[in-house]
């Protein structure tokens, strides 16, 4: 019996599973072969209503809640992390922040485009000297007549090289910093002084890229401020709580697929006259993986239900993100081991999953940051 | 024009079917169930007729246990306008389903009824034909192409020798073959919209239909395990065996 966030979502999962298995999976293999994302991916996701699925219906979004969005992340993660990034770029941190904190004009300008897939967004927080310690950021915003002038550098920003609008966090009051001195700006591609200066590939899939953004005397009108001046840090932190549950569900989806693949492989591969699945060494690996996944899923779904009930789940979201990201790392490691040589070669998805899941322990708050937050709450 | 489509809840085509320990049937507890793939094709055809402005309303019907509601919800998400569940805990055989559908047809008066040519669980391939006979309507089975005109339909059928094109008078029964169309994927927004569409539940008694099984299943067994083959020394021995033992050449 499949555990569900709510009983109603069983039907949604069935639809997602069918679509992912039959339509997305062949494209995932093509991404692996070419290192590029086929153009039809965006069209396919738009046609099926996945782009902007969490944005408000009034602006052309799908109007879906966080659990449904997380379920889509989970099912897409069974195929390829790249697909989850399309959801993130149109329904993730930045889009949701615009929908929540944006002015009417900003919503009209961006939310519609994000919902129909013509625009993509990115979230620019991390800097060369400000990662987990994001309050140490050096990007500055100076007030000028009719607007602001920004200077600084952001890096490791997922998808920023293809983003049409990037949320840039900058310090407008160095004395206050995280306590009201950081502001969020919406910066459009092509704004003078705003440039993509490097694109990095990572340990993960070659198609997934991080960008460096250089901001050099970039003038922005007052209308580019998201929310209130000085509210930026709060916007970033609130966005991150939901993001952590999204990451948790992505980990759950990948672990689920890897266990399924491992069990199937173990049943078919015969060594010394016996299927691998008959060997206790393999059975124990599978049993550990399945147990850890079940626990991760139960607590993450419970936390999603609490979010929907309006509870504050800051610490619980950190626990989910910490446990799920470390869990999928162990599951992926065992999956490679069970698959043996086949787990190492390119062209079969196990090695790519193994590389892609490493991101989850680092991105959107590293394991260490999550532990710090959990301990801080415990010891307060 | 009103179109009626029947949809059956069956064991998903991906599931490895297992026989129950007591040999009374196939294990369905804790098994993934889905809409019969031929019925998906039937529904897709109806939705395309609606999109083309030919059909005005699509009614999906399912006969069986309460869980068939899930199958009907899927049908509503694909594009049916409303759904009818004829709820029964009995084992519903093709004749019983045909009688139930006949009663629904008399109530709803559709111009066209589209059914899958068979369900992938019992592979009976009977319900559509029986329904046509009971109603006295024209039928076109194993359709690979359907073209609607005013009072009639031109249907291309897949027959043993190739393709056969026939013209049938409406109201009519059409059963679908695999190559009629490629069903669409259910989208999440449509799943949500489907929740607001009406789903009516009826009982066989209220339709005045006796659904008692007319056939009794004696025993269900797994197919026999394939026996090991033999090795032959040379081509001459192979030809010898093919000619005299297998008698195929």
């Amino acid at each position: 019996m499949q555990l569900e966030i709510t009983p109603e979502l069983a039907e949604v999962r069935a639809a997602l599973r069918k679509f992912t298995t039959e339509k997305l999976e062949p494209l995932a293999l093509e991404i692996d072969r070419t290192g590029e994302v086929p153009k039809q991916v965006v069209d396919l996701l738009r046609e099926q209503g996945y782009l902007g699925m969490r944005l408000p219906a009034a602006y052309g979004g799908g109007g879906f809640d966080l659990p449904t969005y997380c379920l889509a992340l989970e099912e897409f993660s069974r195929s390829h992390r790249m697909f989850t990034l399309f959801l993130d770029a149109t329904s993730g941190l930045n889009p949701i922040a615009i929908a929540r904190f944006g002015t009417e004009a900003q919503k009209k300008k961006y939310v519609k485009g994000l919902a129909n897939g013509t625009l993509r967004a990115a979230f620019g927080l991390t800097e060369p000297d400000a990662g987990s310690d994001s309050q140490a950021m050096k990007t500055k915003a100076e007030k000028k007549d009719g607007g602001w002038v920004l200077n600084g550098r952001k890096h490791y920003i997922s998808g920023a090289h293809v983003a049409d609008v990037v949320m840039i966090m900058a310090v407008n009051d160095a004395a206050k910093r995280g306590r009201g001195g950081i502001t969020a700006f919406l910066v459009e591609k092509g704004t003078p002084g705003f440039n993509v200066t490097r694109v990095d590939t990572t340990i993960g899939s070659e198609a997934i890229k991080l960008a460096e953004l250089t901001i050099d005397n970039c003038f922005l009108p007052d209308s580019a401020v998201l929310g209130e001046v000085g509210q930026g840090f709060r916007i970033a932190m609130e966005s991150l709580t939901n993001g952590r549950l999204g990451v948790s569900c992505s980990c759950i989806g990948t672990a689920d697929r890897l266990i399924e693949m491992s069990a199937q492989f173990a049943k078919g591969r015969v060594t010394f006259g016996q299927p691998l699945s008959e060997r206790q060494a393999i059975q124990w690996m599978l049993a550990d993986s399945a147990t850890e996944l079940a626990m991760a899923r139960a607590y993450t779904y419970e936390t999603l239900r609490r979010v929907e009930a309006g509870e504050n789940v800051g610490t619980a979201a950190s626990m989910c993100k910490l446990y799920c990201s470390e869990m999928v790392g162990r599951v992926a490691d065992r999956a490679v081991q069970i698959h043996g040589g086949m787990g190492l070669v390119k062209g079969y998805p196990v090695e790519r999953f193994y590389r892609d899941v490493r991101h989850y322990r680092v991105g959107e708050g590293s394991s260490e940051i999550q532990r710090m937050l959990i301990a801080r709450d415990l010891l307060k | 024009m009103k179109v009626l489509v029947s949809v059956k809840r069956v064991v998903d085509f991906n599931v490895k079917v297992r026989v129950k320990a007591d040999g009374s049937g196939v294990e369905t507890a804790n098994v993934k169930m889905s809409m019969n793939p031929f019925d998906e094709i039937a529904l897709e055809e109806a939705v395309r007729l609606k999109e083309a402005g030919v059909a005005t309303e699509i009614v999906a019907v399912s006969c069986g246990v309460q869980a068939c509601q899930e199958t009907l919800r899927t049908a509503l998400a694909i594009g049916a306008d409303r759904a009818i569940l004829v709820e029964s805990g009995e084992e519903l055989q093709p004749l019983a389903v045909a009688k139930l559908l006949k009663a629904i047809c008399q109530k709803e008066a559709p111009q066209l009824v589209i059914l899958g040519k068979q369900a992938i669980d019992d592979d009976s391939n009977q319900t559509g034909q029986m329904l046509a006979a009971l109603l006295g309507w024209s039928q076109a089975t194993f359709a690979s192409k359907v073209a609607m005109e005013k009072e009639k339909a031109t249907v291309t059928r897949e027959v043993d020798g190739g393709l056969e094109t026939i013209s049938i008078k409406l109201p009519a029964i059409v059963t679908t073959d695999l190559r009629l169309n490629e069903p669409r994927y259910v989208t999440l927004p449509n799943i949500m919209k489907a929740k607001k569409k009406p789903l009516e539940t009826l009982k066989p008694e209220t339709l005045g239909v006796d659904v008692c099984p007319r056939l009794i299943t004696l025993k269900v067994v797994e197919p026999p395990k394939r026996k090991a083959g033999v090795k032959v020394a040379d081509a001459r021995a192979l030809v010898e065996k093919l000619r005299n033992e297998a008698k195929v050449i």
Side-chain angles (χ1 to χ4, degrees), chain B residues 1 4 37 48 60 68 90 99 108 125 143 147 158 176 187-188 207 212-213 223 242-243 245:
Chain B
M1 183 177 78
L4 198 119
R48 288 185 191 187
C68 294
E90 283 274 1
K99 285 178 180 171
E108 295 283 343
N125 187 353
E158 298 200 359
T176 60
T187 66
L188 300 197
L207 292 167
C212 281
L242 287 173
R243 184 165 292 147
E245 269 182 45

Side-chain angles (χ1 to χ4, degrees), chain A residues 11-12 15 18-19 22-23 47-48 50 53 64, chain B residues 30 40 73-74 185-189 191-192 195:
Chain A
E11 196 186 342
V12 175
K18 189 171 153 77
F19 172 69
E22 294 174 16
K23 284 291 194 185
E47 279 164 29
Q48 297 290 315
Y50 292 117
M53 62 182 287
F64 286 98
Chain B
N30 288 328
E40 273 186 60
R73 286 278 166 221
T74 307
Y185 290 83
V186 183
T187 66
L188 300 197
I191 291 178
M192 296 303 147
K195 288 186 194 302

